[in-house]
């Protein structure tokens, strides 16, 4: 029997909304972020170390991205059919094995390009199944008015681990080589999988038998397409993610090499962006905008600033300041977006809706990065960067014409089970939501 003193000590250790699932999910996310962000750098250096060039690095990166796009929708449907933590653990196991084999090949000394592409494709496949399940599990693990704060803390922990993982990974690559960093990533996936195996899904109702995978995908599409604010913002981000990704992954390093003094200044700018994401998450732990989608969407406009800064180009200090601001802005949007999904989407649909969200947001990214080079040759680098900035502003202004984007408001009280206030009543009634 729990004594009052023991209960008080338990509450003093962590906030009321930080339940067991939330704690496990956050700890697992920190572990995988530490490993993965170092491994992404290690994979590129493994390709170069084996005699590959920049084009080969791009092929390995594309091999990871393609299955992520192809399997996201299937992953979302499966995550709403079976217990989500099982999908997460299975995906972590696949990632663990693929990264371990990659590490062994690199440490053995002669990995082939096709082997590295295959193993990174397996890793991308695991992520395609993991991401919708993880987002659904996260949002089903937090409840009440503190959901936004929980989401902000989760994202702050994940981003902090990502910054640390990239820095640690770079140092380890220099000290012991990329193979050992890939081995650390495999171990991180193993540890995270064990943590996620202990998630409690008893609060999630039993899924009703459906009409098959295609029927589940159709139901998810109906849920997604019936909300203009949802598909409108996803359509906006299909363009935003594509052009920002092209600007920062293709043009940014080129501008840094030709006009800013090399890789060091670009690394400093990216670090400033990472610090900004931490600041934005910290801000959203305290700020609860009533019109959350309006506040979040207004914060997308600053994402045009890095492309404009590269087009000028600004000196390193100015570029770092712009990247810092954009990091804060994207976190404000990210927390507002997760809070809106948590409030409005029924629990049984969370993973499928998340899959359509992910799919729409990243589907154009491979095409945009592939076309960045030809666009530079056709229009010029500076003009292409100004075009990226203009597209961010244009699509963000357009989505503000959707009434629900401007008017959707945060509810301050839980919706009682069975209350027919909105279609999201059963989402709000889930016990222990995690952002």
């Amino acid at each position: 029997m729990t004594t009052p003193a023991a209960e008080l000590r338990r509450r003093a250790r962590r906030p009321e909304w930080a339940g067991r699932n939330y704690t496990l999910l956050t700890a697992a996310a920190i572990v995988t972020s530490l490993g993965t962000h170092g491994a992404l750098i290690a994979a590129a250096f493994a390709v170069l170390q084996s005699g590959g060039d920049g084009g080969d690095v791009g092929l390995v990166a594309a091999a990871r991205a393609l299955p992520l796009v192809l399997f996201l929708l299937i992953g979302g449907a499966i995550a709403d059919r079976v217990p989500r933590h099982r999908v997460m653990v299975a995906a972590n196991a696949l990632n663990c094995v693929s990264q371990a084999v990659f590490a062994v090949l690199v440490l053995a000394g002669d990995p082939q390009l096709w082997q590295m592409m295959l193993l990174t494709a397996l890793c991308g496949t695991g992520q395609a199944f993991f991401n919708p399940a993880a987002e659904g599990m996260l949002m089903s693990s937090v409840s009440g008015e503190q959901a936004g704060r929980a989401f902000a803390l989760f994202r702050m922990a994940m981003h902090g681990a990502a910054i640390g993982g990239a820095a640690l990974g770079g140092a380890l690559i220099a000290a012991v080589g990329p193979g050992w960093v890939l081995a650390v990533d495999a171990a991180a996936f193993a540890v995270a999988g064990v943590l996620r195996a202990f998630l409690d899904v008893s609060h999630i109702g039993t899924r009703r038998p459906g009409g098959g995978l295609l029927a589940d995908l159709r139901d998810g599409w109906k849920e997604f397409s019936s909300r203009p604010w949802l598909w409108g913002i996803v359509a906006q981000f299909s363009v935003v993610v594509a052009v920002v990704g092209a600007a920062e992954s293709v043009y940014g390093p080129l501008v840094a090499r030709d006009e800013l003094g090399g890789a060091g200044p670009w690394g400093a700018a990216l670090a400033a962006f990472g610090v900004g994401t931490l600041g934005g998450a910290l801000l959203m732990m305290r700020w609860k905008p009533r019109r959350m989608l309006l506040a979040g969407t207004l914060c997308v406009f600053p994402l045009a600033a890095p492309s404009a800064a590269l087009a000028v180009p600004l000196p390193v200090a100015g570029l770092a300041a712009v990247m810092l601001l954009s990091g804060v802005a994207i976190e404000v949007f990210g927390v507002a977006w997760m809070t809106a999904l948590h409030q409005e989407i029924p629990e049984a649909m969370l993973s499928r809706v998340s899959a359509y969200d992910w799919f729409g947001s990243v589907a154009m990214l491979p095409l945009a990065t592939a076309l960045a080079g030809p666009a530079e040759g056709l229009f010029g680098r500076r003009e292409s960067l100004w075009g990226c900035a203009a597209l961010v502003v244009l699509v963000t202004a357009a989505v503000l014409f959707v009434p629900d984007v401007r008017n959707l408001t945060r509810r301050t009280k839980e919706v009682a089970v069975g209350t027919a206030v909105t279609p999201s009543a059963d989402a709000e009634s889930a016990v222990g939501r995690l952002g």
Side-chain angles (χ1 to χ4, degrees):
M1 180 176 176
T2 303
T3 65
E7 180 66 15
L8 284 173
R9 285 196 298 271
R10 183 190 68 80
R11 292 185 178 184
R13 285 196 298 270
R14 64 188 183 192
E16 184 178 347
W17 44 264
R20 180 173 178 271
N21 276 4
Y22 180 88
T23 303
L24 286 170
L25 286 165
T26 304
I30 290 172
V31 171
T32 49
S33 290
L34 280 169
T36 298
H37 285 79
L40 290 173
I41 302 171
F45 277 90
V47 175
L48 297 174
Q49 183 178 281
S50 67
D53 56 16
D56 294 329
V57 172
L59 287 175
V60 172
R64 183 186 181 97
L66 186 59
L68 179 62
V69 174
L70 291 177
F71 294 115
L72 267 171
L73 297 182
I74 296 174
I78 290 176
D80 277 338
R81 291 176 68 86
V82 302
R84 293 186 182 116
H85 71 308
R86 293 183 183 175
V87 178
M88 296 166 71
V89 171
N92 285 167
L94 176 60
N95 290 148
C96 174
V97 171
S98 64
Q99 292 296 77
V101 174
F102 197 172
V104 169
L105 290 174
V106 173
L107 291 171
D110 190 27
Q112 301 299 306
L113 180 61
W114 70 266
Q115 293 172 327
M116 293 185 283
M117 291 178 65
L118 175 62
L119 291 168
T120 54
L122 288 175
C123 208
T125 301
Q127 289 303 113
F129 285 87
F130 175 84
N131 288 345
E135 193 156 307
M137 192 71 205
L138 183 65
M139 287 189 282
S140 72
S141 301
V142 167
S143 62
E145 299 177 29
Q146 300 300 324
R149 177 174 292 182
F151 297 148
L153 179 60
F154 178 86
R155 291 172 67 94
M156 183 166 63
M158 190 170 62
H159 289 311
I163 295 170
L168 181 61
L172 285 175
I173 291 167
V176 297
W180 288 108
V181 177
L182 293 166
V184 169
D185 189 38
F189 276 118
V191 172
V194 171
L195 290 173
R196 287 161 177 147
F198 288 98
L199 291 168
D200 180 11
V201 295
S202 61
H203 65 284
I204 300 176
T206 304
R207 312 292 183 203
R208 295 178 181 178
L213 194 63
L214 289 178
D216 284 352
L217 288 172
R218 285 195 298 270
D219 290 342
W221 173 252
K222 289 178 183 177
E223 191 73 30
F224 176 83
S225 61
S226 66
R227 291 174 161 81
W229 62 268
L230 180 55
W231 59 257
I233 288 180
V234 170
Q236 169 204 10
F237 264 77
S238 69
V239 176
V240 171
V241 169
V243 298
V244 170
E248 295 188 1
S249 66
V250 179
Y251 298 136
L254 294 175
V255 172
R257 181 195 66 187
D258 296 341
E259 303 190 57
L260 298 178
W266 183 236
L270 293 177
F273 176 83
V275 172
T277 63
L278 295 178
L282 187 61
L283 170 64
M284 292 304 284
M285 288 188 68
R286 296 181 174 274
W287 183 38
K288 298 179 182 178
R290 183 169 175 269
R291 295 188 182 185
M292 47 195 169
L293 286 183
L294 177 60
T297 301
L298 290 175
C299 283
V300 179
F301 283 108
L303 299 188
S307 295
L310 289 168
V312 173
L314 290 181
V316 176
L319 177 61
V322 166
M323 294 291 280
L324 179 75
L325 173 63
S326 65
V328 173
I330 194 58
E331 274 309 289
V332 173
F333 170 83
V335 174
W337 179 245
M338 292 185 74
T339 305
L341 292 176
H342 169 267
Q343 175 177 292
E344 298 297 322
I345 305 301
E347 195 281 329
M349 290 284 182
L350 281 173
S351 289
R352 275 168 285 180
V353 169
S354 173
Y356 279 107
D357 174 14
W358 274 90
F359 178 81
S361 297
V362 304
M364 291 178 61
L365 180 59
L367 178 63
T369 53
L371 292 178
E376 180 183 12
L378 186 61
F379 303 110
R381 184 188 302 167
R382 190 160 298 177
E383 290 76 11
S384 297
L385 281 164
W386 281 118
C388 290
L391 281 171
V392 172
V393 172
L394 181 64
V395 297
T396 303
V399 84
L400 287 173
F401 285 95
V402 179
D404 283 346
V405 171
R406 302 192 307 271
N407 300 324
L408 185 68
T409 57
R410 180 191 302 269
R411 287 199 291 271
T412 57
K413 294 183 179 180
E414 293 272 347
V415 179
V417 176
T419 302
V421 178
T422 70
S424 60
D426 60 347
E428 284 294 302
S429 67
V431 177
R433 294 243 156 163
L434 199 231

